[in-house]
Amino acid sequence: MPDDAPPKAPSRIQLRNRRRILDAALDVFAVHGYRGATLDQIAAAAGLSQPNLLYYFAGKEELHVTLLDQLDPSGDPLEEILAYVQRKLDMARDLPRESRLFANEILQGAPRMAPHLEADLKPLFDEKCGIIQSWIDAGKLAPIDPRHLIFANWAATQHYADFGAQIRVLLDTDAPAPGADPFLQTLFTNLLKPAGR
Amino acid sequence: MPDDAPPKAPSRIQLRNRRRILDAALDVFAVHGYRGATLDQIAAAAGLSQPNLLYYFAGKEELHVTLLDQLDPSGDPLEEILAYVQRKLDMARDLPRESRLFANEILQGAPRMAPHLEADLKPLFDEKCGIIQSWIDAGKLAPIDPRHLIFANWAATQHYADFGAQIRVLLDTDAPAPGADPFLQTLFTNLLKPAGR
DNA sequence: ATTATCTATAGATCTATAGATAATGC
DNA sequence: ATTATCTATAGATCTATAGATAATGC
């Protein structure tokens, strides 16, 4: 049994093109998801023809798997991976599909909703910021950036909806992720205490 | 100028089928995104043939727009909409594409990563929970569920990466979302204080 | 009569392969 | 010689339309 085919080292071009392709694929998959991404898009972004791309990777599936494998949770920079998750709360628990639809839209850069956001959400956001700031000025609240407080609140709400799949694995349950209400109450209650006491 | 075509009330079948179709579309778009979803999938989920679906909606685009319009941020249950967002931090700020790729995978129910999560991430998660619990037992930390503390941390990290598009609109800036480090430091510092003081 | 559904299919797009041609490295 | 790229295209899938047929509501 000869150990035929000593695994030749990849050429410089191999290395460069594979890297370029993976980089382009990351761009495209990240925006459009697996099924929405096309090999043409990826090849163009990598500066190659589509058949030439397939000279380096056997197919779309292999490209995607290669990228996901690089996100190995047991990999070296642990925090790099542990940082990949989110939430759900009241409404998010009851409307997970709406939450995901929205998340998908935002992941794509909000191509259709940006005007909507600007026109409708922005004023509400600014108003809320003002209210929170007035609480801070009155000493009722620790002095933190109101904008990021709101983002943190939203994030907490969204997380459990969008990342239900991951949370169910981590909590060892088939049931929908339990509401995190008690936790979040504690979280924001603590946060609301002025720094002094 | 006769006001021709008095807008006849939609039939019972119209109402039922349009509702079914939108419900099915919500399912499919939420999982696969706009480009990844197919009219066949949606029609099948709605219990109709694909051409019949197109009898009720002019095309894929119209279906999607109809759903997004229902997410009107100026709509009635304000919280229902305000709850639709998330975050970014250190690594997420520097690796937004990886973050989105992961988010897309999780949004689809982690079809390829679930085993990975179970085998690699779960043990780390359990270990971290144990450490946090020991802090609580030692009175160094407010008594909150360690699992949800970790989720909140992850959510904070992820949010700014995945929802950059929305955050940029709300913060009125073209630059990438500014790191929320100062805010999150305050957040978790406050959280770490035992309830007593 | 009007509304709803079906069959059939055109045309576009997408993945993947075959086979020829060009570039590179001994 | 080996490696890399190109042209051409088969076959699958997907959106959308045309036109016939069936079901429904006066």
Side-chain angles (χ1 to χ4, degrees), chain B residues 29-40:
Chain B
F29 281 132
V31 170
H32 292 107
Y34 179 74
R35 285 185 50 179
T38 71
L39 295 182
D40 252 334

Side-chain angles (χ1 to χ4, degrees), chain A residues 87-116:
Chain A
R87 322 182 195 175
K88 154 180 178 183
L89 195 56
D90 296 329
M91 158 267 140
R93 177 183 48 224
D94 300 326
L95 297 172
R97 298 179 308 164
E98 282 83 353
S99 177
R100 288 179 180 180
L101 177 69
F102 187 85
N104 256 311
E105 170 71 4
I106 299 290
L107 281 174
Q108 291 177 25
R112 295 156 236 260
M113 287 206 87
H116 232 345

Side-chain angles (χ1 to χ4, degrees), chain A residues 82 84 87 148 154-155 160, chain B residues 82 84 87 98 148 154 160:
Chain A
L82 290 185
Y84 279 132
R87 322 182 195 175
H148 294 301
W154 288 350
Y160 287 89
Chain B
L82 291 185
Y84 279 132
R87 324 183 197 173
E98 282 83 353
H148 294 301
W154 287 350
Y160 288 88

Side-chain angles (χ1 to χ4, degrees), chain A residues 87 89 141 144 149 152-157 160 180-193, chain B residues 87 142-145 148-153 155-156 183-184 186-192:
Chain A
R87 322 182 195 175
L89 195 56
L141 192 66
I144 46 183
L149 174 58
N153 195 343
W154 288 350
T157 305
Y160 287 89
D181 304 26
F183 163 70
L184 287 170
Q185 275 187 342
T186 306
L187 180 71
F188 287 104
T189 298
N190 279 3
L191 195 65
L192 285 178
K193 287 181 193 158
Chain B
R87 324 183 197 173
I144 46 182
D145 188 326
H148 294 301
L149 174 58
I150 291 175
F151 290 152
N153 195 343
F183 163 70
L184 287 170
T186 306
L187 181 72
F188 287 104
T189 298
N190 279 3
L191 196 65
L192 285 179

Side-chain angles (χ1 to χ4, degrees), chain B residues 3-182:
Chain B
D3 196 9
D4 52 327
K8 214 175 279 188
S11 73
R12 214 160 287 175
I13 294 180
Q14 278 275 349
L15 290 174
R16 187 200 59 185
N17 279 350
R18 284 184 64 95
R19 187 174 40 72
R20 280 189 187 171
I21 290 169
L22 287 174
D23 192 64
L26 184 53
D27 272 335
V28 176
F29 281 132
V31 170
H32 292 107
Y34 179 74
R35 285 185 50 179
T38 71
L39 295 182
D40 252 334
Q41 269 185 297
I42 297 171
L48 298 174
S49 69
Q50 179 260 26
N52 198 17
L53 183 155
L54 288 171
Y55 173 72
Y56 292 97
F57 291 91
K60 190 181 185 179
E61 174 77 16
E62 182 174 314
L63 250 185
H64 195 240
V65 165
T66 302
L67 285 172
L68 286 182
D69 283 349
Q70 293 181 351
L71 299 181
D72 181 359
S74 59
D76 199 11
L78 177 60
E79 291 308 320
E80 177 173 328
I81 296 310
L82 291 185
Y84 279 132
V85 198
Q86 285 143 336
R87 324 183 197 173
K88 155 180 177 183
L89 194 58
D90 296 329
M91 160 265 140
R93 178 182 47 224
D94 301 326
L95 298 172
R97 299 178 307 164
E98 282 83 353
S99 177
R100 287 178 181 182
L101 177 69
F102 187 85
N104 256 311
E105 170 73 3
I106 298 291
L107 281 174
Q108 290 177 24
R112 294 156 236 262
M113 287 204 87
H116 233 345
L117 294 177
E118 182 69 40
D120 296 326
L121 187 54
K122 184 79 166 58
L124 283 171
F125 178 74
D126 291 339
E127 183 194 334
K128 285 221 161 195
C129 283
I131 294 172
I132 292 171
Q133 188 58 52
S134 73
W135 290 342
I136 294 173
D137 294 342
K140 292 179 185 169
L141 191 65
I144 46 182
D145 188 326
R147 300 171 305 173
H148 294 301
L149 174 58
I150 291 175
F151 290 152
N153 195 343
W154 287 350
T157 306
Q158 181 96 16
H159 184 75
Y160 288 88
D162 297 345
F163 285 71
Q166 174 161 359
I167 287 175
R168 277 189 290 283
V169 168
L170 294 179
L171 294 184
D172 258 338
T173 170
D174 285 339
D181 305 28

